[in-house]
Amino acid sequence: MHTIFQTDEILRLIVSHLANSSSRFATQWTGTPTSYGSTTFYSGSLGPMERKSIAKLARTCRTWEEIALDALWKEIPTVEPLFGLFPPSCLSSAHRHENVQFTRPLVPSDWTRFHYYSPRVQRITLLDTRYSRWTVDFKTFLSLSHFHPGGSILPNLQHWAWDTHRGAGDIVGGMCFLSSSVTSIEVTLGHTTSADTLFGFVYNLPMRCPHLQTLALCYNDRDWPDWSLEATMTALQSIFGLLPKLKRLSLPFFMDTPPFISHVGCIPGLLELTIGCPEKLVGAFVDDDSDEALVGIPTGPDNEVLFEDLASVTLQSTMSSCFRFLRRFSSRNITSMHLTVLHLRSSSQLTECVTLIALRCPRLKNFNIQYTPAQHDVSFDTSYFSLTTLKPCSELEELSIGHPRVAPWTDDEVLEAVRCWPRLRALRLNPRPSRMIKEPKLTLRTLWNIVKWCRHLETVRFFVDTSIIPPLNELARDDFQQLTATDPPSGTISRGSYTTGVPPSLGAAAIKGSNMISLVDFGISQRNESSTQELATFIATLCPLAQVQGGEQWREVATILR
């Protein structure tokens, strides 16, 4: 073997290419030391083919063995491979799809193979579907913890994921793998999760994982949760204050009571907050806390400062639940906001929500709001907000709005709004409303306006009326007349689509399109078959490099533009 393959860094770089073959020419080589090995390598999930390739590499020779095993065992999809490291005589069954138990007490010699592989494990991810029938008896975890010679079972574990719905077993039993090295935990609750189990898990977190930075608790079930879970979390709400290094927190939708929010908001340095609801329960429940829907109701002491360092927010719940959080945010550094509103109590709640966000998040860069009404929301599903409400968010780079009804905005309202967002890169204005009962008020003039004012725009998605294709020369003349009416008569006018001191000349050559826009999605917009070529010319002039998407009627336009 060539001497170059005796270098540890070179070997790890080669293994990194094997682990991520899709981006083999974009691999970044870093020399950051880790707890196991001298350099870091690809940290993503390995597919079946990658695992087979690295396993073959580990069997090649001793030079490759250590580094290949590090990559192979760095992330495991379940705890099943760990129990496979023990002698078969220790386990109750050799079949993987049965309830695993230890048949006898473990002796020191049983741990020899386990200790060879366990220091390599850094991540236990969510269970793979191939292991959905595989379960571990609760007593097995207790035996594993009791008979371990000492120290941490997985000394270098950093990420621990547990899904009670898919055969992982009891949460408290699985906590035997946790240690002070763990910085990220992801747990999925279900109907099998008892209040005592959740209590034991949360209560022991500060002691087991004092350096925890990411905690994600989600609920995945088709039915309502056991409300004793909410009572348990409320009783343990002060525990979150004992995790001072927590940066990212994700909670189920039913953990939104004002006292609980106050305790979570006191976590110093919390940067990301997520409140999630299972898609199975969307539209299946009604919120009855009507007092939280009123913006003027006080929420606590005037000097109460909550969520002071928050930067990213994801809320998926009822509007009243969203208000509980939004009205308690003290941070002015929120740059990302994703809202999925499941239920409204009044037709003005959507406007009040967006107004509150615009006032409290002046540095907002990414804003995504999706209104998914329940069956009983028929009287409120036409609720909308003015797009100009978001004008104070001058640093906005991505805006996405989803709604079941057609947006009521006009070309002038969109123009007034986008003029305040010079850094806008992605714009999605409800391109596919599910309950369309009228035509949109937006026309193709909106495309002209955003091309002229948003010079960094890369993606635009909207629902527009294409029955009238405005001549580009007339649009240029109208804009020039507006500019000359407001700008000083002397000097050169430079604004957006053209730069000249005289009225723009006729012809498309005098109109400057945008080479930044790569995608124009017309959603469910209809078009006239007789104006296909004219429409393609209009789009090609404004967005010469853009790809066009839409329904079946837009395929011909896309073909012409190619």
Side-chain angles (χ1 to χ4, degrees), residues 268-393:
L270 186 64
L271 299 178
E272 297 181 15
L273 176 66
T274 300
I275 302 296
C277 173
E279 295 184 359
K280 304 172 186 177
L281 297 181
V282 170
F285 60 94
V286 182
D287 189 19
D288 57 355
D289 293 331
S290 57
D291 59 330
E292 288 291 341
L294 302 177
V295 178
I297 299 295
T299 59
D302 295 337
N303 57 353
E304 186 179 22
V305 178
L306 303 176
F307 303 100
E308 189 174 7
D309 301 317
L310 204 59
S312 177
V313 179
T314 301
L315 301 177
Q316 185 181 17
S317 189
T318 63
M319 179 58 79
S320 296
S321 179
C322 292
F323 268 123
R324 294 191 192 103
F325 287 94
L326 294 175
R327 295 174 54 222
R328 291 171 171 86
F329 290 158
S330 301
S331 174
R332 292 298 182 268
N333 298 321
I334 297 178
T335 59
S336 179
M337 179 78 70
H338 293 262
L339 296 182
T340 301
V341 183
L342 308 180
H343 168 58
L344 300 180
R345 293 190 60 86
S346 69
S347 59
S348 61
Q349 273 193 325
L350 204 58
T351 301
E352 294 172 356
C353 175
V354 178
T355 302
L356 187 62
I357 293 173
L359 294 177
R360 299 204 173 191
C361 307
R363 299 183 180 179
L364 194 63
K365 294 183 179 180
N366 301 324
F367 181 52
N368 186 314
I369 182 169
Q370 174 71 43
Y371 172 39
T372 306
Q375 296 179 356
H376 50 268
D377 274 351
V378 177
S379 58
F380 299 144
D381 65 353
T382 57
S383 303
Y384 251 106
F385 61 92
S386 175
L387 200 61
T388 57
T389 306
L390 292 170
K391 288 173 60 176
C393 304

Side-chain angles (χ1 to χ4, degrees), residues 182-186 202 205-206 209-217 233 237-251 260 263-274 307 309-310:
V182 176
T183 58
S184 175
I185 292 179
E186 182 179 350
V202 177
L205 271 182
C209 308
H211 306 293
L212 191 64
Q213 298 181 8
T214 301
L215 176 61
L217 301 177
M233 293 302 299
Q237 52 194 349
S238 60
I239 294 295
F240 291 91
L242 303 178
L243 298 171
K245 296 187 178 181
L246 201 61
K247 303 296 182 183
R248 290 167 288 276
L249 180 63
S250 177
L251 299 174
F260 184 81
H263 280 82
V264 173
C266 293
I267 300 176
L270 186 64
L271 299 178
E272 297 181 15
L273 176 66
T274 300
F307 303 100
D309 301 317
L310 204 59

Side-chain angles (χ1 to χ4, degrees), residues 276-558:
C277 173
E279 295 184 359
K280 304 172 186 177
L281 297 181
V282 170
F285 60 94
V286 182
D287 189 19
D288 57 355
D289 293 331
S290 57
D291 59 330
E292 288 291 341
L294 302 177
V295 178
I297 299 295
T299 59
D302 295 337
N303 57 353
E304 186 179 22
V305 178
L306 303 176
F307 303 100
E308 189 174 7
D309 301 317
L310 204 59
S312 177
V313 179
T314 301
L315 301 177
Q316 185 181 17
S317 189
T318 63
M319 179 58 79
S320 296
S321 179
C322 292
F323 268 123
R324 294 191 192 103
F325 287 94
L326 294 175
R327 295 174 54 222
R328 291 171 171 86
F329 290 158
S330 301
S331 174
R332 292 298 182 268
N333 298 321
I334 297 178
T335 59
S336 179
M337 179 78 70
H338 293 262
L339 296 182
T340 301
V341 183
L342 308 180
H343 168 58
L344 300 180
R345 293 190 60 86
S346 69
S347 59
S348 61
Q349 273 193 325
L350 204 58
T351 301
E352 294 172 356
C353 175
V354 178
T355 302
L356 187 62
I357 293 173
L359 294 177
R360 299 204 173 191
C361 307
R363 299 183 180 179
L364 194 63
K365 294 183 179 180
N366 301 324
F367 181 52
N368 186 314
I369 182 169
Q370 174 71 43
Y371 172 39
T372 306
Q375 296 179 356
H376 50 268
D377 274 351
V378 177
S379 58
F380 299 144
D381 65 353
T382 57
S383 303
Y384 251 106
F385 61 92
S386 175
L387 200 61
T388 57
T389 306
L390 292 170
K391 288 173 60 176
C393 304
S394 58
E395 300 181 13
L396 204 61
E397 296 180 1
E398 180 179 345
L399 176 62
S400 178
I401 300 173
H403 198 286
R405 297 293 187 182
V406 179
W409 307 313
T410 62
D411 295 333
D412 293 335
E413 184 175 356
V414 174
L415 173 60
E416 183 181 355
V418 298
R419 291 176 64 176
C420 301
W421 307 325
R423 303 179 184 180
L424 197 64
R425 294 184 179 274
L427 180 63
R428 178 178 177 270
L429 300 178
N430 198 32
R432 292 173 174 83
S434 58
R435 302 178 183 178
M436 188 190 70
I437 58 176
K438 61 180 180 180
E439 293 297 323
K441 295 182 179 181
L442 295 180
T443 66
L444 289 174
R445 185 182 181 91
T446 294
L447 183 61
W448 162 271
N449 292 332
I450 61 179
V451 167
K452 181 178 66 174
W453 290 97
C454 304
R455 305 305 297 177
H456 300 284
L457 193 66
E458 300 174 0
T459 302
V460 55
R461 303 175 187 269
F462 51 10
F463 177 41
V464 296
D465 182 7
T466 61
S467 58
I468 300 178
I469 303 177
L472 292 172
N473 295 317
E474 293 184 5
L475 295 176
R477 287 195 186 97
D478 293 342
D479 286 347
F480 180 81
Q481 293 176 359
Q482 294 179 4
L483 292 176
T484 54
T486 56
D487 291 350
S490 60
T492 300
I493 299 174
S494 177
R495 193 71 61 89
S497 299
Y498 46 83
T499 302
T500 179
V502 296
S505 58
L506 298 178
I511 301 173
K512 181 181 178 182
S514 173
N515 293 327
M516 294 290 295
I517 298 180
S518 59
L519 176 63
V520 179
D521 185 2
F522 286 92
I524 61 174
S525 303
Q526 304 295 318
R527 69 175 184 85
N528 191 348
E529 295 291 343
S530 60
S531 59
T532 301
Q533 186 63 48
E534 185 181 0
L535 182 59
T537 303
F538 181 88
I539 299 173
T541 304
L542 296 180
C543 314
L545 304 180
Q547 176 185 359
V548 174
Q549 291 184 359
E552 293 290 336
Q553 295 182 346
W554 292 91
R555 288 189 176 183
E556 185 177 356
V557 177

Side-chain angles (χ1 to χ4, degrees), residues 83-118:
F83 287 93
L85 298 175
F86 292 99
S89 59
C90 298
L91 302 177
S92 61
S93 175
H95 300 286
R96 292 188 171 185
H97 297 305
E98 295 185 5
N99 197 5
V100 177
Q101 298 180 2
F102 286 118
T103 57
R104 60 174 175 82
L106 298 176
V107 296
S109 60
D110 296 332
W111 292 91
T112 302
R113 191 166 177 234
F114 185 91
H115 286 159
Y116 180 72
Y117 289 95
S118 60

